[in-house]
Amino acid sequence: MVIKNVSLEIVCGVTSKLPDTLLPEVAFAGKSNVGKSSLINALMNRKSLARTSAQPGKTQTINYYNINNGLYFVDLPGYGYTKVNEKVKAQWGKMVENYLHSSKQLKQVFHLIDIRHAPSENDRMMYKWILESGYQPVLIATKLDKIKRSQVQSQLKLIRSGLNAGKETRVIPFSAQTKQGRDEIYEILDTILEESL
C-alpha cells in the first residue's frame, strides 16, 4: 500500500452525529498512551498528523483520516486514563460503543495493546465490545522496541491469554521506531481495499 494523500476530514465529538461515509473504514482502538497516534502516523508516513499528546487521554473525539480517497482511518478516543472523571469516561465509552454498533462502513478494528504489560481490565472490556459488535479484531502489540527480542513470544502469549483470544485472532508486534509490523498491517489494508472494489 502506498499512501499518497492524507487529510483529517471529519471530527466527531460526544454530541456529534456519526457521519454516513461512503468509503471503507478501519478503526484504531487502544488505551491512552498505548502509541495509537504513533502507529497511525507511521502508517500514514507522516510525522505528526495524528497528534501524539504529552497528556494522555487528550483525544476526546473520533477522528476520520481520509487515506488516498479510498479508505478512512478512524482514530477512536483512548480509554482508561485515570485522571479523567467518571462522567467523561462514560461518555467516551458510549461514543466508542455507538461507533462500533452503528458504522455501516467499518471493515476492521485494530486493537492496540502495549506489549510490555498484560492486558488491563479496560483492554479486556474493549476486546469484548469489539467481538460483541461482530468484528474479529487484529491485535497490535505496540512498543516492540521497548523489550528484548527474547521476550517477544512470551509477551505475545501473555496478551493472548489475558484477552482470552483464540488462535483465529491475529497478533502483530509493532514498533513505531523501526516500523516493524507495518507491512503486515498494509497487507490487511490492501485486502480490505480489494474487497471493497
Side-chain angles (χ1 to χ4, degrees):
M1 179 172 205
V2 181
I3 293 182
K4 292 176 179 162
N5 305 308
V6 174
S7 64
L8 174 56
E9 198 166 278
I10 306 161
V11 177
C12 282
V14 173
T15 54
S16 316
K17 186 182 175 299
L18 288 170
D20 278 329
T21 61
L22 300 172
L23 301 176
E25 297 167 13
V26 294
F28 297 84
K31 208 160 55 174
S32 302
N33 77 9
V34 73
K36 199 153 47 69
S37 300
S38 302
L39 167 71
I40 292 171
N41 284 325
L43 290 174
M44 297 192 299
N45 282 321
R46 301 292 189 277
K47 281 262 189 305
S48 59
L49 189 59
R51 287 194 189 85
T52 45
S53 173
Q55 246 179 312
K58 203 83 174 108
T59 310
Q60 299 181 22
T61 51
I62 297 178
N63 298 332
Y64 290 70
Y65 295 92
N66 184 325
I67 310 296
N68 293 346
N69 289 318
L71 180 76
Y72 281 111
F73 283 179
V74 181
D75 184 6
L76 299 173
Y79 54 79
Y81 188 55
T82 45
K83 288 186 182 168
V84 171
N85 71 41
E86 290 306 316
K87 188 182 169 210
V88 174
K89 274 188 202 169
Q91 284 177 328
W92 291 0
K94 233 186 189 59
M95 227 162 118
V96 171
E97 211 177 357
N98 180 31
Y99 171 75
L100 289 173
H101 282 307
S102 59
S103 169
K104 294 183 183 73
Q105 295 291 346
L106 181 58
K107 306 298 179 197
Q108 181 65 63
V109 182
F110 293 104
H111 186 192
L112 283 64
I113 309 280
D114 188 327
I115 198 166
R116 299 170 298 178
H117 310 294
S120 67
E121 186 52 50
N122 284 313
D123 289 327
R124 287 195 288 276
M125 193 167 78
M126 186 75 223
Y127 184 71
K128 198 164 146 254
W129 275 359
I130 297 167
L131 291 175
E132 284 172 356
S133 301
Y135 299 97
Q136 179 59 59
V138 171
L139 299 174
I140 309 286
T142 60
K143 311 201 179 197
L144 177 62
D145 46 277
K146 304 267 196 254
I147 62 168
K148 295 192 182 93
R149 191 173 286 179
S150 59
Q151 297 173 292
V152 173
Q153 288 312 315
S154 61
Q155 290 306 109
L156 293 178
K157 213 170 177 172
L158 186 69
I159 289 173
R160 253 185 209 287
S161 61
L163 293 172
N164 212 356
K167 284 200 166 55
E168 71 287 349
T169 303
R170 189 162 175 192
V171 186
I172 300 174
F174 177 81
S175 163
Q177 301 295 320
T178 66
K179 309 292 185 281
Q180 187 179 332
R182 183 167 69 172
D183 287 346
E184 285 179 73
I185 299 169
Y186 279 161
E187 278 171 26
I188 294 169
L189 297 175
D190 281 335
T191 305
I192 290 166
L193 284 169
E194 280 163 26
E195 287 169 356
S196 303
L197 290 175

